Amino acid sequence: MIRVLVVHNVGLIRSALVALLRSETELDVSSASGRTAFRMAYGVPPHVYVADIDCLDSLGCEGDGVGPTHRDLDHEPALLVLTTARKPGALRKAFDAGALGYVNKDGEPGRLVEGIHQVARGERFIDESLAFDFFQAAKMPLTPRELSVLALAADGAPIDEIARSLHLSKGTIRNYLAAAIRKVGGRNRLDAVRISQGAGWL
C-alpha cells in the first residue's frame, strides 16, 4: 500500500484529486492544504507527496528535499508535483526542491497514478508533454541577483528603494535591470517582469 498525501490550497481541486486516487486500491490517500501539510507529515508519513507546484513553499521545500522532514522520518517521502506546460522556471524550482515526479495538470488521470507508483519506487517520472519545458528550464537566463532585483521591481519598488534593500548603488541596480530585460527579451522593465512571471521564474 502506497501512502499518498495530496497537497493543494484549493479545496474543490484537492477533494477531486483525493476522490480520483482513492479509486485505486493500492493507494492510501489523505489530503491537506499547503498550510497544514508540513505539520501532518509528522503523523503517519506518506510515501509520496502529490503537491501542486504552487504549494512547494508551504511544504518547506529546500534544495535538498521536502523541508527538514527527510531528516526526521523513517523514510524520505518522494515529491510529485502537478504543474502546467510553459512554466520552465517553476519546473526548475521543483527540480531544485528534489521533486522526482512531474505531471501535467492538463493530462490524463492515468498519468498521475502511473507517476505515483514510479516515484514511490524511487524512480523519476516526467510527463512527455513537459519535456520541452525541462529543456527550457535548464537554460534559465537570469542570475540569482538579477532575479532578486526583478522581483523587487515586480512589486513596484523604485530604483532607490531596491538599491537600499539590496545594499547596492542605484547604478548597479540599473545595470542588473538592463541585463535582465535584455536576457529575457523584454522591451522594458514591465515587459521583463511579465515574461519572467509567465515562465515561472518569479
Side-chain angles (χ1 to χ4, degrees):
M1 186 70 73
I2 301 172
R3 290 190 299 275
V4 178
L5 180 62
V6 174
V7 184
H8 204 294
N9 288 334
V10 179
L12 187 60
I13 297 175
R14 187 169 65 245
S15 298
L17 286 169
V18 169
L20 166 69
L21 295 177
R22 282 182 176 165
S23 65
E24 300 290 322
T25 57
E26 296 179 355
L27 303 181
D28 178 12
V29 185
S30 57
S31 69
S33 69
R35 293 181 296 277
T36 60
F38 181 73
R39 175 167 46 80
M40 288 184 65
Y42 283 93
V44 179
H47 295 106
V48 178
Y49 285 104
V50 173
D52 187 87
I53 203 159
D54 294 327
C55 295
L56 296 185
D57 290 341
S58 299
L59 275 172
C61 289
E62 299 170 348
D64 56 352
V66 183
T69 58
H70 68 290
R71 292 189 289 272
D72 303 317
L73 301 176
D74 293 336
H75 63 272
E76 180 177 348
L79 174 60
L80 182 150
V81 295
L82 304 173
T83 186
T84 54
R86 298 178 298 281
K87 290 284 187 179
L91 286 177
R92 179 60 180 266
K93 291 176 185 176
F95 181 83
D96 290 342
L100 274 182
Y102 307 81
V103 172
N104 192 334
K105 289 188 277 191
D106 295 322
E108 294 296 323
R111 297 292 287 163
L112 174 57
V113 175
E114 183 182 349
I116 289 171
H117 282 274
Q118 201 154 318
V119 301
R121 296 193 298 266
E123 302 170 4
R124 191 171 297 283
F125 180 89
I126 301 173
D127 232 325
E128 292 93 337
S129 59
L130 300 174
F132 180 74
D133 295 296
F134 263 95
F135 176 72
Q136 293 296 106
K139 302 194 302 180
M140 205 281 282
L142 302 177
T143 66
R145 179 62 83 181
E146 289 163 352
L147 276 173
S148 63
V149 169
L150 202 57
L152 289 170
D155 291 335
I159 295 287
D160 56 346
E161 184 179 325
I162 297 174
R164 285 195 304 272
S165 176
L166 298 178
H167 306 289
L168 297 170
S169 71
K170 289 186 284 187
T172 300
I173 296 301
R174 290 192 185 92
N175 288 339
Y176 278 128
L177 280 174
I181 293 167
R182 183 183 70 254
K183 287 181 177 181
V184 303
R187 297 184 301 274
N188 50 42
R189 184 194 313 185
L190 291 177
D191 196 35
V193 167
R194 178 188 60 78
I195 292 169
S196 298
Q197 288 177 333
W201 298 326
L202 289 180

